[in-house]
Amino acid sequence: MTDVTDGVLHTLFRSEQGGHEQVVLCQDRASGLKAVIAIHSTALGPALGGTRFYPYASEEAAVADALNLSRGMSYKNALAGLDHGGGKAVIIGDPEKIKTERLLLAYGRFVDSLGGRYVTACDVGTYVADMDVVARESRWVTGRSPENGGAGDSSVLTAYGVFQGMRASAQHLWGAPTLSGRRVGVAGVGKVGHHLVDHLVTDGATVVITDVREESVRRILDRHPQVVAVADADALIRTEGLDVYAPCALGGALNDETVPALTASVVCGAANNQLAHPGVEKDLADRGILYAPDYVVNAGGVIQVADELHGFDFDRCKAKASKIFDTTLAIFARAKEDGVPPAAAADRLAEQRMAEARGNG
């Protein structure tokens, strides 16, 4: 791809964010595969991050997403205490139209060609069954089915970790680690969001939801009739009396339009890259909205898939994911001490761990 824009190349090489170590453009004409594998850092160990299958508007957009997501994985893995760097892959196309066994096998060969520098797993548009297929061509695959030696669906612990982040936010802001009596809005109740709703309802929260898929909303309402659904995310962020807003769909949910409209006092959700651009974290802070950094609170899934590489133990993983509560509180404390937004404090802590690892290397 010779027409990658200067902006994408800047993202690849910019030194202030540590740069990216490697980007691989993958094409298999026979299967129709077009993919990007981005490795941001291996300072802490092999890069670990999922494979997103998505109909990007352009190849440039796909590369940019892979770069941003892989950098986020470096920070997520660092603060989760994992011995893994950050990587991410994206497959370009509509998975409902072009995903085939042949394509996934071709992708697996590209993953394998990196010799373990990148370990893949599920993400938006890919599932456990897909990882089973990819694993037929590469050993560097996690998030597989229990029948194939894997841990299965990682969304369970992702949701659990987000819930721990919410509890920490409640502790920091309201003095008690519970959402009981609070109104929580969840935007996106698919893979992760529907598990999060279960935790919130059990904890005594009042829950408001929205999702672009009607069947996802219906599944929640059938299980929890007391939950209220609204038309879209725009309506959700403007819901009166909302205490917590949980973006659990795609990234960029916090932007110049949504932040001024938010009624919630806390933002804590499962989506990756929630801040649309640098400076949004300051806009949230200026409005007095507490932001729990996405890559901190949604690390439960990567904790699970990393554990699978060593022989999966659910209780061990859940115990690690429970520490997201303490990590989130530590970030809020660091933010207050340094006089910076929580997102900046989280970045500093992650960068410190990676720098120490490079220094010891």
Side-chain angles (χ1 to χ4, degrees):
M1 190 171 68
T2 58
D3 58 344
V4 177
T5 64
D6 289 343
V8 170
L9 287 174
H10 176 67
T11 303
L12 171 59
F13 289 120
R14 57 187 169 186
S15 59
E16 71 270 20
Q17 293 185 353
H20 287 69
E21 293 182 11
Q22 186 176 8
V23 175
V24 181
L25 305 181
C26 313
Q27 181 169 240
D28 179 69
R29 292 186 183 277
S31 66
L33 172 72
K34 287 198 292 185
V36 183
I37 301 174
I39 296 174
H40 177 261
S41 172
T42 56
L44 294 170
L48 172 62
T51 298
R52 178 165 295 188
F53 205 138
Y54 190 74
Y56 291 96
S58 67
E59 287 87 355
E60 290 82 3
V63 174
D65 202 31
L67 294 176
N68 290 332
L69 290 167
S70 62
R71 176 177 177 267
M73 289 305 305
S74 287
Y75 285 63
K76 179 186 293 190
N77 293 339
L79 286 182
L82 301 176
D83 294 326
H84 283 282
K88 205 79 171 187
V90 301
I91 298 175
I92 303 168
D94 186 339
E96 295 186 6
K97 294 179 179 178
I98 72 165
K99 186 194 293 182
T100 62
E101 180 179 80
R102 190 179 187 186
L103 182 147
L104 292 171
L105 290 171
Y107 171 65
R109 291 191 290 274
F110 281 110
V111 172
D112 199 61
S113 72
L114 293 170
R117 280 177 55 77
Y118 170 63
V119 181
T120 197
C122 302
D123 196 74
V124 174
T126 60
Y127 300 87
V128 169
D130 299 327
M131 293 304 107
D132 285 345
V133 175
V134 176
R136 285 159 51 189
E137 291 287 353
S138 178
R139 59 175 289 200
W140 312 109
V141 181
T142 183
R144 296 161 296 146
S145 68
E147 294 79 11
N148 285 281
D153 184 10
S154 64
S155 63
V156 173
L157 283 182
T158 302
Y160 178 73
V162 173
F163 180 60
Q164 298 309 311
M166 276 194 197
R167 291 180 61 246
S169 300
Q171 172 71 50
H172 180 80
L173 202 59
W174 301 307
T178 178
L179 283 305
S180 179
R182 302 291 174 185
R183 178 167 288 168
V184 181
V186 182
V189 287
K191 270 186 176 182
V192 175
H194 82 277
H195 292 299
L196 179 60
V197 171
D198 290 343
H199 288 301
L200 291 167
V201 169
T202 300
D203 196 37
T206 298
V207 181
V208 186
I209 65 168
T210 191
D211 196 288
V212 295
R213 293 178 178 268
E214 186 178 338
E215 60 268 28
S216 297
V217 172
R218 178 49 51 195
R219 174 172 59 174
I220 295 293
L221 299 183
D222 288 344
R223 184 183 301 178
H224 303 296
Q226 70 272 43
V227 169
V228 174
V230 296
D232 52 33
D234 191 57
L236 183 63
I237 64 172
R238 290 174 166 79
T239 299
E240 289 299 322
L242 204 64
D243 294 298
V244 181
Y245 172 55
C248 294
L250 295 177
L254 303 173
N255 55 47
D256 295 339
E257 289 73 42
T258 58
V259 170
L262 274 171
T263 61
S265 303
V266 173
V267 174
C268 178
N272 288 309
N273 296 334
Q274 292 170 23
L275 305 178
H277 58 78
V280 175
E281 71 280 4
K282 184 178 184 303
D283 295 338
L284 288 164
D286 288 346
R287 287 207 57 214
I289 298 171
L290 181 67
Y291 173 60
D294 48 37
Y295 68 79
V296 176
V297 301
N298 68 14
V302 77
I303 288 170
Q304 175 170 321
V305 296
D307 191 80
E308 182 182 314
L309 297 170
H310 309 286
F312 178 62
D313 183 287
F314 182 82
D315 291 336
R316 179 174 62 204
C317 285
K318 189 172 183 180
K320 289 180 181 177
S322 296
K323 295 178 182 177
I324 290 173
F325 177 87
D326 296 323
T327 302
T328 306
L329 281 179
I331 286 164
F332 292 152
R334 173 72 178 264
K336 183 176 181 181
E337 179 183 336
D338 291 356
V340 298
D347 284 356
R348 289 178 182 180
L349 287 170
E351 288 162 0
Q352 181 180 336
R353 183 168 184 238
M354 287 187 281
E356 290 170 353
R358 283 191 291 269
N360 294 329

